[in-house]
Amino acid sequence: MPQTIRARALAAAGAATTLALLLTSCTATATADDGASAASGLWDSGSVHEITIDFDQDAYDAMVQTYLDSETKEWISATVTIDGVTYENAGLKLKGNSSLRALSTDADAELSAENPEDLPWVIRLDKFVEGQNHEGTTELVVRGNSTATALNEALALELLDAAGLASEQAIAVRFSADGSDETLRLVIENPNDAWMQAELGDGLLYKAEAGGDYSYRGDEATAYTDVFDQEGGESDLTPLIDFLQWVNESSDDEFAAGLADRLDVDAFATYLAFQDLVQNTDDIDGPGNNSYLYYDPATERMTVVNWDLNLAFGASPGGGGPGGAGGFGGGDGAPPTGGGMPGAPGAQEAPTDSTMPTRPTGGGPGGRSNILVERFLATDEFAALYAEAQETLQAELVDSGIAADALQEWTQVLIDDAADLVTVDVIQQESDDLAAQLKG
């Protein structure tokens, strides 16, 4: 297993006291600066931040109608205020796929365009104004909550980082849109070129689209238009196409012998084990095909990168939402059937022979097959890496107490700063449900 898992987990445990102090001492910086100040300002998760957006109603209505007619997500101009700093002519666009399926102009709909404060958004400060940024950040994603608090996704992102995998920074936000009442939302970094450079390096980043898969569709780049979208690096689909061809067409012996030359297999084993650990059913082989592929020109290898954890810990799509009563794994703290962490009731045991292990989450209800996952777990050497990663993550993130500490920190921030948006009882109940799952 990569040494970064152990190193970062130990560092997180040793920093518990410091993090507790940061919860009360860190404040947001009110001027645009570089990425270093962003780490202690905008992306300080020790307090609840404030973001408001304002836009022209006609432009907003047209944008929503365009999406409803064609599922095309258009940019509109908006005034965005972040922790008291206002940015004019910023870009605003709907974000998501399955999270937008319930969108309607009906005021009584589950996800109504009449309530823009509830919609998932991407904010791009420099879309129409070159160089405009907030403390070095240009893009933010206002996530679609699947629970009242979004504690499940916040905790999952903390653990993703502690596992040594590429993760997005996240903050809790008091969010309002076009003069609406404030609602509690989770805001995270958008995996764009700048994020790639900081988290992964100078390479190429491809996002898997919800309607696509990991099949090989020939060597013409146009065949992948609706399958992968390049988000980072100079435009070049050649490494992606070559990788997909090899994964789909190599023999079993070639796959076993050559995959490590083309994919970071340790990171992928950790990725799969992590999805199981946090019971995320919407990953690389879930219904949303949620993943990125990062190509490192120096090593000529791909890395599978996580995306979308709002269904972590058994949360249901649309369950709770902003201000509602959420819940995880049936609402009683128990993992969903067939899921759970290794060693927990109902969890998939680590493979001990040459049979392909059945993952307890991805590929579950509404899921789909993914040829990379299937072939990886059908290969003894890689199945063993996956089993080892399960044990490592359980021991170093859960048994160590790191997960419980992170959960408590996020819970206390919400109780201190957002109890007027979500009641203390709901915050505590969702926290208790997550804590029960961590105990297995």
Side-chain angles (χ1 to χ4, degrees):
M1 295 298 299
Q3 290 298 315
T4 51
I5 296 177
R6 293 179 173 84
R8 295 177 75 169
L10 290 173
T17 302
T18 302
L19 286 172
L21 293 174
L22 285 172
L23 292 177
T24 56
S25 64
C26 288
T27 56
T29 303
T31 58
D33 204 340
D34 58 20
S37 65
S40 60
L42 173 63
W43 298 113
D44 164 31
S45 61
S47 62
V48 175
H49 297 254
E50 295 185 9
I51 296 178
T52 64
I53 57 174
D54 294 285
F55 43 76
D56 177 77
Q57 187 65 45
D58 290 340
Y60 171 79
D61 292 341
M63 176 191 64
V64 170
Q65 194 59 53
T66 296
Y67 177 78
L68 293 175
D69 290 342
S70 65
E71 295 190 356
T72 299
K73 299 165 191 167
E74 295 183 330
W75 289 99
I76 63 171
S77 175
T79 298
V80 177
T81 302
I82 303 173
D83 291 335
V85 183
T86 298
Y87 301 94
E88 302 289 349
N89 201 20
L92 182 68
K93 184 173 71 170
L94 291 169
K95 176 74 171 176
N97 292 297
S98 58
S99 56
L100 289 172
R101 287 173 186 161
L103 179 62
S104 170
T105 55
D106 184 348
D108 296 324
E110 177 185 355
L111 190 65
S112 173
E114 296 293 314
N115 304 112
E117 69 275 13
D118 293 343
L119 303 185
W121 296 105
V122 58
I123 297 169
R124 182 176 168 186
L125 298 177
D126 66 346
K127 174 63 179 176
F128 304 116
V129 180
E130 184 176 356
Q132 185 163 252
N133 70 89
H134 184 82
E135 299 173 349
T137 294
T138 60
E139 294 188 38
L140 306 92
V141 178
V142 183
R143 296 287 290 146
N145 290 19
S146 290
T147 65
T149 64
L151 275 171
N152 62 318
E153 184 166 20
L155 176 60
L157 286 169
E158 290 269 3
L159 297 181
L160 183 68
D161 180 66
L165 300 175
S167 182
E168 298 83 30
Q169 296 183 87
I171 51 173
V173 166
R174 307 175 71 92
F175 182 76
S176 64
D178 204 32
S180 72
D181 291 337
E182 292 180 328
T183 188
L184 180 63
R185 303 293 294 274
L186 188 74
V187 170
I188 70 173
E189 295 177 284
N190 197 28
N192 57 12
D193 188 79
W195 178 88
M196 176 194 73
Q197 296 277 350
E199 282 287 315
L200 295 161
D202 186 10
L204 306 175
L205 185 66
Y206 309 101
K207 182 183 185 297
E209 296 296 330
D213 55 29
Y214 276 50
S215 63
Y216 173 60
R217 304 182 179 215
D219 59 6
E220 293 294 329
T222 54
Y224 300 86
T225 301
D226 298 322
V227 184
F228 282 89
D229 184 28
Q230 187 167 345
E231 300 288 348
E234 296 294 328
S235 181
D236 184 6
L237 293 186
T238 301
L240 171 70
I241 294 171
D242 289 347
F243 177 73
L244 294 176
Q245 180 178 18
W246 188 87
V247 167
N248 282 270
E249 296 183 352
S250 59
S251 68
D252 289 345
D253 288 343
E254 289 171 338
F255 186 87
L259 183 62
D261 294 329
R262 295 168 174 83
L263 177 75
D264 186 336
V265 293
D266 288 320
F268 189 48
T270 302
Y271 165 89
L272 293 175
F274 175 82
Q275 304 304 318
D276 301 342
L277 183 80
V278 301
Q279 302 160 39
N280 180 36
T281 58
D282 197 17
D283 60 354
I284 189 173
D285 54 0
N289 190 33
N290 284 310
S291 61
Y292 284 75
L293 281 172
Y294 168 72
Y295 176 73
D296 183 347
T299 63
E300 298 185 338
R301 294 194 306 175
M302 291 285 186
T303 299
V304 175
V305 179
N306 178 89
W307 172 246
D308 196 350
L309 288 166
N310 69 347
L311 299 186
F313 296 101
S316 300
F328 311 95
D332 58 359
T337 302
M341 288 161 265
Q348 173 68 35
E349 294 300 321
T352 57
D353 55 32
S354 61
T355 59
M356 175 180 165
T358 302
R359 293 186 61 224
T361 53
R368 65 178 91 176
S369 63
N370 180 289
I371 190 168
L372 178 60
V373 177
E374 291 178 350
R375 299 198 71 183
F376 188 85
L377 295 180
T379 305
D380 290 351
E381 175 187 352
F382 304 139
L385 288 177
Y386 165 68
E388 183 183 354
Q390 287 182 310
E391 294 179 0
T392 300
L393 294 185
Q394 174 70 29
E396 296 185 354
L397 300 185
V398 179
D399 298 345
S400 67
I402 287 174
D405 288 345
L407 174 60
Q408 181 55 42
E409 290 166 4
W410 273 91
T411 301
Q412 194 60 54
V413 167
L414 298 188
I415 290 174
D416 289 344
D417 293 353
D420 59 320
L421 303 180
V422 179
T423 68
V424 172
D425 287 346
V426 170
I427 295 170
Q428 195 61 61
Q429 181 59 60
E430 292 197 357
S431 178
D432 289 347
D433 286 348
L434 289 169
Q437 291 195 48
L438 292 174
K439 292 178 181 177

